[in-house]
Amino acid sequence: MSQNIVVTAAMLAIGDELLSGRTKDKNIGHLADLLTLSGIDLKEVRIVADDEEAIVEALNALRGKYDYVFTSGGIGPTHDDITADAISKAFGVPCEYDEAAMTLLAEMYRRREMEFTEARQRMARMPRGAVHIANPVSTAPGFIIGNVHVMAGVPQVFQAMVDNVLPTLRTGTPVLSLAIACPYGEGEIGTPLTAIQKAHPETSIGSYPRYVGQKFSTEIVVRGRSQAVIDAAGAEVQAMIDAIRRRKDIAETIPPRLEGNAGTQGHP
């Protein structure tokens, strides 16, 4: 049997507007979906304010722990777009105007007959030695330094940049999953499901409660990198559901003891 390859990633979403609720993040879920399909495990997500020290601290913690780090936000033209400065500080290199990025942006604004202002030139700043991430939507590039991929926060641009980055990444063994519908709530399945998880450590078993029509139910999802281990755990989950169903069926067939007869009929 070939050994499973595990590749890990983290995401750092940057912006006061995310923490205030003014902007609803759309990038985390998109990245998670694509990384899962690519066989890369998204292990951690952090959201930090537009604060240089907070960005540096979070980035250094994540880049030393995971194979890849993806950031979103803070590489625009305004005063609070400080991601490039913070990442330069985290890597201990100067943040400077990249010549190739300056050329790309200058030509784009010339074609649009718009002034290439000092504020717009800020979008060409990046850490010394960084490599561009192409931006087919609005030209201003993201960049890669070390294992960190720095991308825009605007969802359309972020998604385009992710599409350009993914083919360049080392990928792992994809995670497979099996969803099992369970007609019982978590309170009834919690203990036996815990035992099943302990018996199948190569899988990750999640339970997702639902409440429809005044009735609780649960979707149980078994995840793993081998179909065989998923099927084995899934069989035990189904056996657990069947056992609960049989127990309930038996309980329903036993007639209730008549109140007040306990003294004459003896103990059950």
Side-chain angles (χ1 to χ4, degrees):
M1 180 181 295
S2 60
Q3 186 176 4
N4 290 327
I5 299 171
V6 179
V7 180
T8 61
M11 180 173 176
L12 180 62
I14 301 165
D16 293 342
E17 68 278 7
L18 297 174
L19 293 168
S20 70
R22 182 178 180 86
T23 298
K24 311 301 181 186
D25 181 85
K26 296 181 180 179
N27 295 331
I28 295 172
H30 180 80
L31 180 66
D33 286 341
L34 293 185
L35 291 181
T36 297
L37 291 173
S38 299
I40 299 174
D41 295 355
L42 183 62
K43 290 291 191 180
E44 186 173 349
V45 175
R46 298 193 190 189
I47 302 177
V48 297
D50 293 307
D51 177 87
E52 185 175 275
E53 291 305 317
I55 297 169
V56 170
E57 180 182 358
L59 183 69
N60 281 336
L62 295 173
R63 71 188 181 95
K65 189 175 180 181
Y66 302 107
D67 295 311
Y68 298 115
V69 178
F70 303 89
T71 79
S72 67
I75 57 173
T78 58
H79 70 282
D80 59 345
D81 288 314
I82 60 172
T83 297
D85 298 274
I87 291 178
S88 298
K89 184 174 182 179
F91 278 88
V93 298
C95 185
E96 55 194 17
Y97 290 94
D98 180 86
E99 183 177 350
M102 286 287 284
T103 299
L104 282 172
L105 289 166
E107 291 178 351
M108 183 268 289
Y109 283 110
R110 178 181 54 78
R111 290 194 303 270
R112 296 172 64 184
E113 298 182 347
M114 298 173 65
E115 183 182 357
F116 189 27
T117 62
E118 183 178 346
R120 289 166 176 156
Q121 290 174 27
R122 281 178 53 82
M123 294 187 289
R125 297 170 70 250
M126 58 186 65
R128 179 180 293 174
V131 177
H132 288 197
I133 299 174
N135 173 3
V137 177
S138 56
T139 304
F143 58 84
I144 303 167
I145 180 168
N147 63 340
V148 179
H149 298 72
V150 181
M151 296 177 284
V154 177
Q156 184 181 6
V157 180
F158 177 85
Q159 292 170 18
M161 288 184 174
V162 171
D163 288 344
N164 284 327
V165 164
L166 281 178
T168 70
L169 303 180
R170 181 171 63 91
T171 58
T173 307
V175 174
L176 308 173
S177 66
L178 171 66
I180 302 170
C182 172
Y184 309 114
E186 287 187 308
E188 295 187 82
I189 66 173
T191 299
L193 196 61
T194 298
I196 294 171
Q197 176 67 89
K198 289 181 178 178
H200 297 273
E202 291 183 309
T203 68
S204 172
I205 302 176
S207 60
Y208 306 95
R210 295 176 174 177
Y211 186 69
V212 179
Q214 298 184 331
K215 181 176 175 60
F216 284 103
S217 63
T218 312
E219 182 180 53
I220 300 173
V221 179
V222 183
R223 298 181 178 88
R225 287 187 158 83
S226 162
Q227 191 64 53
V229 299
I230 289 177
D231 290 343
E236 288 201 29
V237 170
Q238 188 60 57
M240 173 198 71
I241 295 170
D242 294 341
I244 295 173
R245 181 180 294 113
R246 285 194 299 270
R247 187 172 68 245
K248 286 181 172 292
D249 289 344
I250 291 172
E252 290 175 359
T253 60
I254 298 175
R257 188 173 64 185
L258 295 177
E259 186 176 352
N261 289 348
T264 60
Q265 297 183 4
H267 295 291

